[in-house]
Amino acid sequence: MSIKLVFGTQWGDEGKGKVVDYYGEKADIVVRYQGGNNAGHTIKIGDDVFKFHLLPSGVVRGKISVIGNGVVVDPEVLIHEIEELRKRGIEPKLIISDRAHVIMPYHKILDGAEERFRGKKKVGTTGRGIGPCYSDKIARLGIRMGDLIDPETLRERLEFLIQLKNRIFEAYGIPERLDVDEVFEKYSEYGEYLKDMVRDTVEFLHMSMDKEILLEGAQGAMLDVDFGTYPYTTSSSTIGGGASTGSGIPPSKIDEVIGVVKAYTTRVGMGPFPTEQENEIGKHLCEKGHEFGTTTGRARRCGWLDLVVVKHALRISGATSIAITKIDVLEGLSRVKVAYAYDIDGKKVDNFPANLRDIGKISPIYKEFEGWNMTDREWEKVKEEGMDALPSNVREYLDFIEKETGIRIKMISYGPAREETVEL
Ligand code: IMP
């Protein structure tokens, strides 16, 4: 039995949902450990399409699904997703950590207000209250799932917090005011609905160490609050290490760390993106890759694969293998480029800088490849015979990724369906 971790190596939307679903089939337990309903994953099973923001993807396959302590939970969204599943005849086997923090109405109001204050420098958040909820967690002003299901504690926390937030609204010039009774009524009902699912997930996971466990990351390493393009990041720890702090599973127990690498790069929201292509190439990637957000519907910014970014992500997460996704989207381009280093002020740099000013001076150094087209028959052959059966142009592209990162490619996904996957 083993514990596997799947995380995104770029700015999110790498196609983790499909990779998690693939490995999740063999897992007994699927765990989400960070982020909240800012995420969005689509899972296609036969003709059925499932779209989630908060639930771990394992729920559709009847797996025990855990929402770990590192996740921020909007109870309204969670209940909606549970109800949606029930309508489709699936009863989720869901366990929610009593330590997970709750997204409250004031978090959503403050998310919008902070973005407005930032003006042109806005982060482009999903507006779901993620940042303010994590801020309160760190500031020790949070409400946790264990509090939500205990009316006495909830009331006590709200008496204090709503007074504080109303004062902040006033100072910020926000017209809304929240009422303790109203919020209490609504949120204690959510607590009542969810209470049987809330428990000590740390204990549960430690008792389940002999099972097959899959840790499912959300967003990607470049949105990590420490290692991403700060302040244009999300507010959680999206790198491999986040899986330990967000679930209570120690690093030494994780057997495999799989970094999901989309064959090109996308980004939603504002912030640096060195290999962005605001041209026909970007348009090709956006259209062919259906690069529109699951959460906000926004068109994603698109560009070439950036291996400086990927190496940074794999290194800090301790990746043991790579899953390549959406390789088919590059088909139809006559030339394909990959950035493997940066030029900053005339100096060659191969690590990702921290400082926005340095990042602004990046000129990517590219390697170019001949384009390719592959038929389903050719992919079938790769499934049977392995990488050697790949046409030489694709092979060169993938070999370059392995050589530059020093990490082996374990999986290639060439379409949304489960069958369109090669495991190496
Ligand atoms: P927040 O997480 O809503 O605070 O948004 C912060 C930044 O992270 C914004 O640029 C969002 O577009 C981005 N972001 C958050 N979640 C995702 C995701 O699941 N995929 C891609 N980008 C995301």
Side-chain angles (χ1 to χ4, degrees):
M1 288 295 137
S2 74
I3 303 185
K4 283 193 186 67
L5 157 60
V6 174
F7 75 100
T9 62
Q10 293 150 315
W11 279 278
D13 309 310
E14 294 92 352
K16 290 179 297 294
K18 174 171 164 178
V19 179
V20 167
D21 181 53
Y22 190 88
Y23 291 113
E25 195 180 26
K26 294 178 206 125
D28 302 302
I29 302 168
V30 180
V31 187
R32 260 200 75 177
Y33 54 84
Q34 46 74 225
N37 59 316
N38 49 347
H41 37 247
T42 308
I43 301 155
K44 201 166 173 259
I45 300 177
D47 289 335
D48 281 335
V49 178
F50 296 87
K51 284 185 196 247
F52 297 127
H53 298 290
L54 194 50
L55 284 173
S57 342
V59 282
V60 283
R61 295 201 177 273
K63 307 293 175 181
I64 297 175
S65 300
V66 176
I67 293 184
N69 56 280
V71 175
V72 286
V73 178
D74 186 328
E76 195 175 348
V77 174
L78 182 59
I79 291 169
H80 175 75
E81 291 191 357
I82 294 171
E83 287 297 314
E84 283 297 304
L85 268 184
R86 285 183 175 154
K87 266 191 229 154
R88 293 167 82 165
I90 300 171
E91 183 56 39
K93 294 183 192 151
L94 184 65
I95 306 174
I96 308 158
S97 169
D98 49 5
R99 292 180 170 91
H101 278 251
V102 182
I103 299 180
M104 298 300 292
Y106 43 82
H107 292 137
K108 291 180 248 187
I109 296 171
L110 288 168
D111 196 354
E114 286 167 5
E115 280 288 82
R116 283 194 296 280
F117 285 132
R118 288 189 192 106
K120 276 199 194 130
K121 295 199 166 166
K122 69 175 184 187
V123 177
T125 71
T126 57
R128 306 294 196 259
I130 305 294
C133 185
Y134 277 116
S135 303
D136 273 355
K137 167 177 172 172
I138 303 299
R140 293 148 299 178
L141 292 169
I143 292 179
R144 308 203 290 182
M145 287 304 295
D147 306 328
L148 186 80
I149 60 168
D150 172 15
E152 213 172 299
T153 312
L154 179 64
R155 177 97 214 176
E156 195 186 301
R157 295 294 282 161
L158 286 176
E159 298 273 359
F160 160 63
L161 287 167
I162 290 201
Q163 202 189 117
L164 181 76
K165 299 298 172 185
N166 278 341
R167 281 198 201 176
I168 293 173
F169 290 173
E170 196 177 345
Y172 280 12
I174 300 170
E176 281 108 320
R177 295 291 175 272
L178 293 168
D179 177 70
V180 176
D181 290 335
E182 269 175 40
V183 178
F184 176 74
E185 200 181 315
K186 200 162 163 193
Y187 280 73
S188 53
E189 265 176 38
Y190 295 151
E192 180 62 27
Y193 181 105
L194 295 168
K195 78 170 189 268
D196 293 341
M197 300 174 205
V198 177
R199 61 180 279 193
D200 183 346
T201 50
V202 175
E203 193 208 5
F204 171 77
L205 288 171
H206 279 258
M207 305 239 304
S208 310
M209 288 291 184
D210 57 336
K211 302 266 192 321
E212 191 76 31
I213 300 178
L214 184 68
L215 295 156
E216 168 181 359
Q219 289 90 39
M222 294 313 282
L223 289 171
D224 185 275
V225 69
D226 284 278
F227 299 102
T229 42
Y230 189 89
Y232 296 97
T233 59
T234 189
S235 302
S236 63
S237 180
T238 61
I239 63 158
S244 284
T245 53
S247 71
I249 294 181
S252 57
K253 295 281 183 205
I254 301 173
D255 302 289
E256 262 193 75
V257 181
I258 304 164
V260 183
V261 179
K262 184 151 66 178
Y264 52 97
T265 313
T266 59
R267 164 154 219 181
V268 197
M270 311 297 280
F273 180 178
T275 60
E276 184 170 14
Q277 299 296 304
E278 290 177 284
N279 51 28
E280 286 305 309
I281 304 282
K283 229 165 126 189
H284 168 101
L285 297 171
C286 187
E287 279 165 18
K288 193 153 188 210
H290 308 291
E291 295 294 355
F292 299 92
T294 320
T295 301
T296 57
R298 291 180 283 184
R300 297 176 186 143
R301 299 156 64 193
C302 295
W304 296 122
L305 177 61
D306 185 340
L307 285 181
V308 182
V309 157
V310 170
K311 280 187 279 189
H312 175 66
L314 296 172
R315 179 157 75 173
I316 53 189
S317 299
T320 53
S321 63
I322 290 174
I324 297 282
T325 59
K326 299 183 99 166
I327 186 91
D328 54 304
V329 174
L330 294 174
E331 289 187 12
L333 294 168
S334 55
R335 313 275 300 163
V336 177
K337 289 197 206 178
V338 179
Y340 63 95
Y342 296 149
D343 180 310
I344 301 178
D345 286 335
K347 274 198 218 102
K348 188 174 167 229
V349 172
D350 49 23
N351 60 310
F352 200 90
N355 189 302
L356 279 185
R357 216 187 278 277
D358 291 333
I359 298 173
K361 292 189 222 156
I362 289 173
S363 171
I365 305 173
Y366 288 107
K367 182 169 168 68
E368 273 196 50
F369 298 82
E370 290 286 334
W372 62 82
N373 280 298
M374 277 182 73
T375 60
D376 284 349
R377 179 67 212 109
E378 281 175 303
W379 279 116
E380 287 306 320
K381 200 152 173 258
V382 180
K383 277 192 204 170
E384 284 153 26
E385 296 168 24
M387 290 271 260
D388 288 342
L390 280 166
S392 62
N393 292 357
V394 198
R395 178 73 204 243
E396 271 175 38
Y397 190 75
L398 296 174
D399 279 352
F400 187 69
I401 295 172
E402 284 195 330
K403 187 175 117 272
E404 280 293 310
T405 60
I407 309 242
R408 152 181 112 80
I409 296 173
K410 184 187 163 80
M411 177 204 266
I412 305 169
S413 162
Y414 59 95
R418 293 201 86 211
E419 308 72 65
E420 292 167 313
T421 312
V422 181
E423 200 177 356
L424 299 156

Short mmCIF file of all heavy atoms in Angstrom, two decimals, residues 2-6 16-17 19-33 56-58 64 66 205 211-217 249 256 258:
data_model
loop_
_atom_site.label_atom_id
_atom_site.label_comp_id
_atom_site.label_asym_id
_atom_site.label_seq_id
_atom_site.Cartn_x
_atom_site.Cartn_y
_atom_site.Cartn_z
N SER A 2 0.40 2.28 -0.63
CA SER A 2 1.29 3.44 -0.72
C SER A 2 0.51 4.75 -0.64
O SER A 2 -0.71 4.76 -0.77
CB SER A 2 2.07 3.39 -2.03
OG SER A 2 1.23 3.72 -3.10
N ILE A 3 1.25 5.82 -0.43
CA ILE A 3 0.64 7.15 -0.41
C ILE A 3 1.24 7.94 -1.57
O ILE A 3 2.45 8.10 -1.69
CB ILE A 3 0.89 7.85 0.95
CG1 ILE A 3 0.34 6.98 2.08
CG2 ILE A 3 0.26 9.25 0.94
CD1 ILE A 3 0.39 7.58 3.47
N LYS A 4 0.35 8.39 -2.44
CA LYS A 4 0.77 9.16 -3.62
C LYS A 4 0.27 10.59 -3.48
O LYS A 4 -0.82 10.82 -2.95
CB LYS A 4 0.12 8.61 -4.90
CG LYS A 4 0.74 7.36 -5.44
CD LYS A 4 0.20 7.14 -6.86
CE LYS A 4 0.66 5.81 -7.44
NZ LYS A 4 0.11 4.64 -6.75
N LEU A 5 1.06 11.49 -4.03
CA LEU A 5 0.69 12.90 -4.01
C LEU A 5 0.71 13.43 -5.44
O LEU A 5 1.66 13.18 -6.18
CB LEU A 5 1.70 13.65 -3.12
CG LEU A 5 1.93 15.13 -3.27
CD1 LEU A 5 0.65 15.90 -3.02
CD2 LEU A 5 2.97 15.57 -2.25
N VAL A 6 -0.34 14.10 -5.85
CA VAL A 6 -0.40 14.71 -7.19
C VAL A 6 -0.54 16.22 -7.00
O VAL A 6 -1.43 16.69 -6.30
CB VAL A 6 -1.61 14.17 -7.99
CG1 VAL A 6 -1.77 14.91 -9.31
CG2 VAL A 6 -1.46 12.68 -8.26
N LYS A 16 -4.92 18.34 -13.47
CA LYS A 16 -4.72 17.46 -12.30
C LYS A 16 -5.93 16.56 -12.07
O LYS A 16 -5.78 15.42 -11.67
CB LYS A 16 -4.52 18.29 -11.02
CG LYS A 16 -3.22 19.03 -10.97
CD LYS A 16 -3.10 19.84 -9.70
CE LYS A 16 -4.15 20.93 -9.58
NZ LYS A 16 -4.06 22.00 -10.57
N GLY A 17 -7.14 17.09 -12.37
CA GLY A 17 -8.37 16.33 -12.12
C GLY A 17 -8.30 14.98 -12.80
O GLY A 17 -8.62 13.95 -12.19
N VAL A 19 -5.58 13.34 -13.83
CA VAL A 19 -4.49 12.51 -13.27
C VAL A 19 -4.93 11.93 -11.93
O VAL A 19 -4.71 10.75 -11.64
CB VAL A 19 -3.19 13.35 -13.13
CG1 VAL A 19 -2.07 12.52 -12.53
CG2 VAL A 19 -2.77 13.93 -14.49
N VAL A 20 -5.58 12.76 -11.12
CA VAL A 20 -6.06 12.30 -9.82
C VAL A 20 -7.11 11.19 -10.02
O VAL A 20 -7.11 10.19 -9.32
CB VAL A 20 -6.67 13.49 -9.02
CG1 VAL A 20 -7.46 12.99 -7.82
CG2 VAL A 20 -5.58 14.44 -8.57
N ASP A 21 -7.96 11.40 -11.00
CA ASP A 21 -9.00 10.40 -11.26
C ASP A 21 -8.36 9.07 -11.68
O ASP A 21 -8.77 8.01 -11.25
CB ASP A 21 -9.94 10.92 -12.35
CG ASP A 21 -11.04 9.93 -12.65
OD1 ASP A 21 -11.71 9.52 -11.69
OD2 ASP A 21 -11.20 9.53 -13.82
N TYR A 22 -7.32 9.17 -12.50
CA TYR A 22 -6.62 7.97 -12.99
C TYR A 22 -6.02 7.17 -11.84
O TYR A 22 -6.26 5.99 -11.68
CB TYR A 22 -5.53 8.41 -13.98
CG TYR A 22 -4.90 7.29 -14.73
CD1 TYR A 22 -5.44 6.84 -15.93
CD2 TYR A 22 -3.74 6.67 -14.25
CE1 TYR A 22 -4.86 5.80 -16.63
CE2 TYR A 22 -3.15 5.64 -14.93
CZ TYR A 22 -3.71 5.20 -16.13
OH TYR A 22 -3.13 4.17 -16.80
N TYR A 23 -5.23 7.86 -11.00
CA TYR A 23 -4.62 7.15 -9.87
C TYR A 23 -5.63 6.88 -8.76
O TYR A 23 -5.49 5.94 -7.98
CB TYR A 23 -3.42 7.94 -9.32
CG TYR A 23 -2.28 7.94 -10.30
CD1 TYR A 23 -1.87 9.11 -10.94
CD2 TYR A 23 -1.63 6.75 -10.64
CE1 TYR A 23 -0.85 9.09 -11.87
CE2 TYR A 23 -0.61 6.73 -11.57
CZ TYR A 23 -0.23 7.91 -12.19
OH TYR A 23 0.76 7.89 -13.11
N GLY A 24 -6.65 7.73 -8.73
CA GLY A 24 -7.67 7.60 -7.69
C GLY A 24 -8.43 6.29 -7.83
O GLY A 24 -8.97 5.78 -6.85
N GLU A 25 -8.48 5.75 -9.04
CA GLU A 25 -9.23 4.51 -9.24
C GLU A 25 -8.68 3.39 -8.36
O GLU A 25 -9.42 2.57 -7.85
CB GLU A 25 -9.20 4.11 -10.72
CG GLU A 25 -10.24 3.07 -10.99
CD GLU A 25 -10.29 2.61 -12.42
OE1 GLU A 25 -9.26 2.71 -13.12
OE2 GLU A 25 -11.36 2.16 -12.84
N LYS A 26 -7.34 3.42 -8.19
CA LYS A 26 -6.73 2.35 -7.38
C LYS A 26 -6.68 2.73 -5.90
O LYS A 26 -6.30 1.93 -5.06
CB LYS A 26 -5.30 2.10 -7.89
CG LYS A 26 -5.28 1.52 -9.29
CD LYS A 26 -3.84 1.32 -9.77
CE LYS A 26 -3.79 1.36 -11.28
NZ LYS A 26 -2.86 2.33 -11.82
N ALA A 27 -7.02 3.98 -5.60
CA ALA A 27 -6.90 4.42 -4.20
C ALA A 27 -8.11 4.03 -3.38
O ALA A 27 -9.21 3.85 -3.90
CB ALA A 27 -6.72 5.94 -4.17
N ASP A 28 -7.90 3.90 -2.07
CA ASP A 28 -9.03 3.68 -1.16
C ASP A 28 -9.54 5.02 -0.64
O ASP A 28 -10.73 5.16 -0.35
CB ASP A 28 -8.59 2.84 0.05
CG ASP A 28 -8.02 1.50 -0.39
OD1 ASP A 28 -8.75 0.77 -1.06
OD2 ASP A 28 -6.84 1.22 -0.09
N ILE A 29 -8.60 5.97 -0.50
CA ILE A 29 -8.95 7.26 0.12
C ILE A 29 -8.33 8.39 -0.72
O ILE A 29 -7.16 8.30 -1.12
CB ILE A 29 -8.37 7.33 1.55
CG1 ILE A 29 -8.91 6.16 2.39
CG2 ILE A 29 -8.66 8.67 2.21
CD1 ILE A 29 -8.20 5.97 3.72
N VAL A 30 -9.12 9.41 -1.02
CA VAL A 30 -8.61 10.58 -1.73
C VAL A 30 -8.72 11.79 -0.80
O VAL A 30 -9.78 12.01 -0.20
CB VAL A 30 -9.37 10.84 -3.05
CG1 VAL A 30 -8.82 12.07 -3.77
CG2 VAL A 30 -9.28 9.63 -3.97
N VAL A 31 -7.62 12.55 -0.69
CA VAL A 31 -7.59 13.65 0.28
C VAL A 31 -7.29 14.98 -0.41
O VAL A 31 -6.33 15.07 -1.17
CB VAL A 31 -6.45 13.42 1.32
CG1 VAL A 31 -6.49 14.46 2.43
CG2 VAL A 31 -6.49 12.01 1.88
N ARG A 32 -8.12 15.97 -0.13
CA ARG A 32 -7.75 17.34 -0.53
C ARG A 32 -7.11 18.02 0.66
O ARG A 32 -7.58 17.86 1.79
CB ARG A 32 -8.98 18.12 -0.98
CG ARG A 32 -9.09 18.17 -2.50
CD ARG A 32 -9.99 19.30 -2.96
NE ARG A 32 -9.32 20.59 -2.84
CZ ARG A 32 -9.87 21.73 -3.23
NH1 ARG A 32 -11.07 21.74 -3.77
NH2 ARG A 32 -9.20 22.87 -3.10
N TYR A 33 -6.04 18.78 0.43
CA TYR A 33 -5.29 19.32 1.58
C TYR A 33 -5.09 20.83 1.58
O TYR A 33 -4.53 21.36 2.54
CB TYR A 33 -3.94 18.61 1.70
CG TYR A 33 -3.11 18.66 0.42
CD1 TYR A 33 -2.32 19.75 0.12
CD2 TYR A 33 -3.12 17.58 -0.47
CE1 TYR A 33 -1.56 19.78 -1.04
CE2 TYR A 33 -2.37 17.62 -1.63
CZ TYR A 33 -1.59 18.71 -1.91
OH TYR A 33 -0.85 18.76 -3.06
N PRO A 56 -13.29 16.46 -3.10
CA PRO A 56 -12.20 15.71 -3.72
C PRO A 56 -12.75 14.89 -4.89
O PRO A 56 -13.90 14.43 -4.83
CB PRO A 56 -11.71 14.79 -2.59
CG PRO A 56 -12.23 15.39 -1.32
CD PRO A 56 -13.51 16.10 -1.70
N SER A 57 -11.94 14.74 -5.96
CA SER A 57 -12.48 14.07 -7.16
C SER A 57 -12.89 12.62 -6.90
O SER A 57 -13.72 12.09 -7.64
CB SER A 57 -11.49 14.07 -8.31
OG SER A 57 -10.50 14.99 -8.15
N GLY A 58 -12.30 12.00 -5.88
CA GLY A 58 -12.59 10.60 -5.60
C GLY A 58 -14.05 10.30 -5.31
O GLY A 58 -14.48 9.16 -5.47
N ILE A 64 -13.53 6.91 -0.33
CA ILE A 64 -13.63 7.72 0.88
C ILE A 64 -12.88 9.01 0.56
O ILE A 64 -11.73 8.98 0.12
CB ILE A 64 -12.99 7.01 2.07
CG1 ILE A 64 -13.74 5.72 2.36
CG2 ILE A 64 -12.95 7.92 3.31
CD1 ILE A 64 -13.15 4.86 3.44
N VAL A 66 -11.60 12.83 1.73
CA VAL A 66 -11.29 13.60 2.93
C VAL A 66 -11.01 15.05 2.56
O VAL A 66 -10.26 15.32 1.62
CB VAL A 66 -10.05 13.00 3.65
CG1 VAL A 66 -9.67 13.84 4.86
CG2 VAL A 66 -10.31 11.55 4.06
N LEU A 205 -6.70 9.34 9.16
CA LEU A 205 -5.67 9.05 8.16
C LEU A 205 -4.55 8.20 8.76
O LEU A 205 -4.02 7.30 8.10
CB LEU A 205 -5.12 10.35 7.56
CG LEU A 205 -6.10 11.07 6.62
CD1 LEU A 205 -5.59 12.46 6.25
CD2 LEU A 205 -6.34 10.26 5.34
N LYS A 211 -3.62 1.69 3.90
CA LYS A 211 -4.49 1.74 2.71
C LYS A 211 -3.77 2.51 1.59
O LYS A 211 -2.73 3.11 1.81
CB LYS A 211 -5.79 2.49 3.04
CG LYS A 211 -6.59 1.88 4.17
CD LYS A 211 -7.61 0.94 3.59
CE LYS A 211 -8.67 0.46 4.53
NZ LYS A 211 -8.30 0.15 5.89
N GLU A 212 -4.39 2.49 0.41
CA GLU A 212 -3.87 3.27 -0.73
C GLU A 212 -4.47 4.68 -0.61
O GLU A 212 -5.69 4.84 -0.69
CB GLU A 212 -4.33 2.57 -2.02
CG GLU A 212 -3.69 3.06 -3.28
CD GLU A 212 -2.27 2.57 -3.48
OE1 GLU A 212 -1.92 1.46 -3.03
OE2 GLU A 212 -1.49 3.34 -4.07
N ILE A 213 -3.61 5.67 -0.39
CA ILE A 213 -4.09 7.04 -0.18
C ILE A 213 -3.57 7.95 -1.30
O ILE A 213 -2.39 7.88 -1.68
CB ILE A 213 -3.64 7.59 1.19
CG1 ILE A 213 -4.19 6.71 2.33
CG2 ILE A 213 -4.07 9.05 1.39
CD1 ILE A 213 -3.77 7.11 3.73
N LEU A 214 -4.45 8.78 -1.81
CA LEU A 214 -4.04 9.74 -2.83
C LEU A 214 -4.27 11.16 -2.32
O LEU A 214 -5.39 11.51 -1.94
CB LEU A 214 -4.85 9.50 -4.11
CG LEU A 214 -4.45 10.37 -5.29
CD1 LEU A 214 -3.06 10.01 -5.79
CD2 LEU A 214 -5.44 10.21 -6.43
N LEU A 215 -3.23 11.95 -2.32
CA LEU A 215 -3.33 13.34 -1.89
C LEU A 215 -3.47 14.22 -3.12
O LEU A 215 -2.60 14.20 -4.01
CB LEU A 215 -2.06 13.72 -1.11
CG LEU A 215 -1.88 12.95 0.21
CD1 LEU A 215 -0.42 12.89 0.63
CD2 LEU A 215 -2.71 13.61 1.30
N GLU A 216 -4.57 14.96 -3.17
CA GLU A 216 -4.94 15.69 -4.40
C GLU A 216 -4.69 17.19 -4.22
O GLU A 216 -5.39 17.87 -3.47
CB GLU A 216 -6.43 15.44 -4.65
CG GLU A 216 -7.03 16.33 -5.70
CD GLU A 216 -8.53 16.06 -5.91
OE1 GLU A 216 -9.10 15.17 -5.27
OE2 GLU A 216 -9.12 16.77 -6.74
N GLY A 217 -3.71 17.71 -4.94
CA GLY A 217 -3.39 19.14 -4.85
C GLY A 217 -4.37 19.98 -5.65
O GLY A 217 -4.98 19.51 -6.61
N ILE A 249 -0.41 14.13 7.27
CA ILE A 249 0.39 12.96 6.88
C ILE A 249 1.84 13.42 6.80
O ILE A 249 2.15 14.35 6.05
CB ILE A 249 -0.08 12.39 5.52
CG1 ILE A 249 -1.50 11.83 5.66
CG2 ILE A 249 0.89 11.33 5.01
CD1 ILE A 249 -2.07 11.23 4.39
N GLU A 256 5.21 8.55 -3.27
CA GLU A 256 5.39 9.04 -4.65
C GLU A 256 4.86 10.45 -4.76
O GLU A 256 3.77 10.76 -4.25
CB GLU A 256 4.54 8.19 -5.60
CG GLU A 256 5.32 7.10 -6.28
CD GLU A 256 4.48 6.52 -7.43
OE1 GLU A 256 4.35 7.19 -8.47
OE2 GLU A 256 3.97 5.41 -7.24
N ILE A 258 3.94 13.12 -7.63
CA ILE A 258 3.77 13.24 -9.09
C ILE A 258 3.47 14.69 -9.46
O ILE A 258 2.45 15.25 -9.04
CB ILE A 258 2.63 12.31 -9.57
CG1 ILE A 258 2.92 10.86 -9.13
CG2 ILE A 258 2.45 12.40 -11.10
CD1 ILE A 258 1.71 9.94 -9.19
#
